[in-house]
Amino acid sequence: MFVQQAIAILDSGVGGLTVCKEVMRQLPREKIIYFGDTARAPYGPRSPEEVRLFTEQIVDYLIQFDPKLIVIACNTATAAALDYIKDKVNIPVIGVIHPGARAAISTTKTGKVGVIGTIGTIRSEAYTIALRELNPQIEIVSQACPELVPLVERGLYDTDEALFVVQNCLQELKEYPMDCLILGCTHYPFLKNSIQQVMGEKVTLISSADETAREISTVLHQEEGLARGNDIPVHQFFCSGDADMFRKIARQWLGEQIELTPIVWQVSSPVG
């Protein structure tokens, strides 16, 4: 494995930027090539077959850059396509569901865990399976929140409208006596303040981004593929939809992480 190669990160839209931010923070020497399929977001309501096809198309596109590792930074795509993509390519592929499940298991004190996600993620029961593989006695309540991803993709995550929508989505779920809630979609950390306000301070919110970045570090260390030297990486960001909105959200979210790191915005691709 060549340490100069990039980490490829893909998502249905801007949600995977939450993973990007953690990779930039924990692994500042690593170059990132990111693809957000904003033209076809959200993936949640789509069939597993369609999500698998879209994920394969994006991977085929990213492989031309010769990455050393691929991160499927989308829970819906992880549930639908992780094993398929692992069989398709000859480099490590990481999803975001098992890292999130591990973080929840290590956090919960009561063994009662909530999961929110897209329709596709919740329907797949991927989190239930992952959590019970780690602890068969865990108690889980899950809920799909299809209204949340479109809010984030439109850049409305820090608004009164967002709080109103989150309140409506979580009204029933917050009555369940959980002590942690898995944000089972990488878009949801954009709404963390609203979700925390609705769920209350006694509920710990679990984002898979931090744990996923740790897993990337572990895999690259095992493969002797961690970047070395003091060169500042130049990241490349692609999207398939509204380039201006994508750049705006990316700059807001990544903030200080990209102040000293050059970004190349390449906003067209053959995907779609």
Side-chain angles (χ1 to χ4, degrees):
M1 178 179 290
F2 296 99
V3 296
Q4 295 86 0
Q5 292 170 288
I7 296 169
I9 300 177
L10 65 94
D11 182 63
S12 64
V14 300
L17 296 172
T18 59
V19 176
C20 274
K21 187 171 185 175
E22 277 302 310
V23 173
M24 289 178 178
R25 186 179 70 83
Q26 295 184 33
L27 299 167
R29 293 174 172 172
E30 299 295 342
K31 173 182 172 66
I32 292 170
I33 298 175
Y34 182 92
F35 189 98
D37 195 8
T38 50
R40 301 187 291 197
Y43 280 9
R46 298 181 182 274
S47 70
E49 294 76 19
E50 193 171 26
V51 173
R52 192 177 304 123
L53 172 62
F54 290 175
T55 306
E56 182 179 21
Q57 289 174 339
I58 297 169
V59 168
D60 287 344
Y61 180 70
L62 291 171
I63 283 294
Q64 69 176 302
F65 299 101
D66 193 27
K68 59 186 174 183
L69 180 145
I70 294 172
V71 183
I72 302 178
C74 170
N75 287 266
T76 306
T78 295
L82 178 62
D83 291 339
Y84 177 77
I85 298 300
K86 280 184 174 180
D87 290 339
K88 178 181 173 66
V89 301
N90 58 3
I91 58 174
V93 183
I94 292 173
V96 287
I97 289 176
H98 279 85
R102 285 198 302 270
I105 292 294
S106 66
T107 300
T108 182
K109 302 293 192 295
T110 65
K112 300 180 189 297
V113 175
V115 181
I116 55 174
T118 68
I119 292 171
T121 298
I122 299 303
R123 186 191 295 132
S124 74
E125 298 190 335
Y127 270 104
T128 298
I129 294 167
L131 287 163
R132 291 206 166 126
E133 283 178 351
L134 297 168
N135 180 356
Q137 279 74 50
I138 200 82
E139 295 182 34
I140 307 158
V141 61
S142 302
Q143 182 170 311
C145 299
E147 302 89 349
L148 300 187
V149 169
L151 269 178
V152 176
E153 288 291 329
R154 287 157 50 208
L156 301 176
Y157 40 87
D158 193 20
T159 63
D160 291 339
E161 180 183 349
L163 179 59
F164 177 76
V165 173
V166 168
Q167 286 174 329
N168 285 340
C169 286
L170 302 183
Q171 188 169 4
E172 293 183 13
L173 188 69
K174 70 178 183 179
E175 302 304 321
Y176 181 77
M178 70 188 77
D179 67 347
C180 68
L181 175 65
I182 296 175
L183 306 182
C185 172
T186 50
H187 284 75
Y188 294 175
F190 282 89
L191 297 160
K192 184 175 181 179
N193 291 339
S194 294
I195 294 171
Q196 192 73 75
Q197 185 174 334
V198 172
M199 296 303 296
E201 294 301 321
K202 292 183 179 179
V203 176
T204 301
L205 303 185
I206 303 294
S207 167
S208 59
D210 183 67
E211 193 71 20
T212 300
R214 287 198 187 99
E215 183 162 337
I216 292 168
S217 179
T218 298
V219 170
L220 290 180
H221 176 73
Q222 291 172 344
E223 299 280 339
E224 298 183 350
L226 285 167
R228 302 187 183 94
N230 297 316
D231 293 341
I232 296 174
V234 178
H235 306 303
Q236 293 173 275
F237 281 69
F238 298 81
C239 75
S240 58
D242 186 334
D244 292 336
M245 179 60 73
F246 178 78
R247 274 195 297 262
K248 177 183 176 182
I249 293 172
R251 284 174 173 148
Q252 286 177 347
W253 182 255
L254 297 176
E256 64 183 27
Q257 299 295 341
I258 62 173
E259 284 180 5
L260 300 176
T261 306
I263 297 272
V264 177
W265 304 101
Q266 296 171 285
V267 293
S268 61
S269 83
V271 175

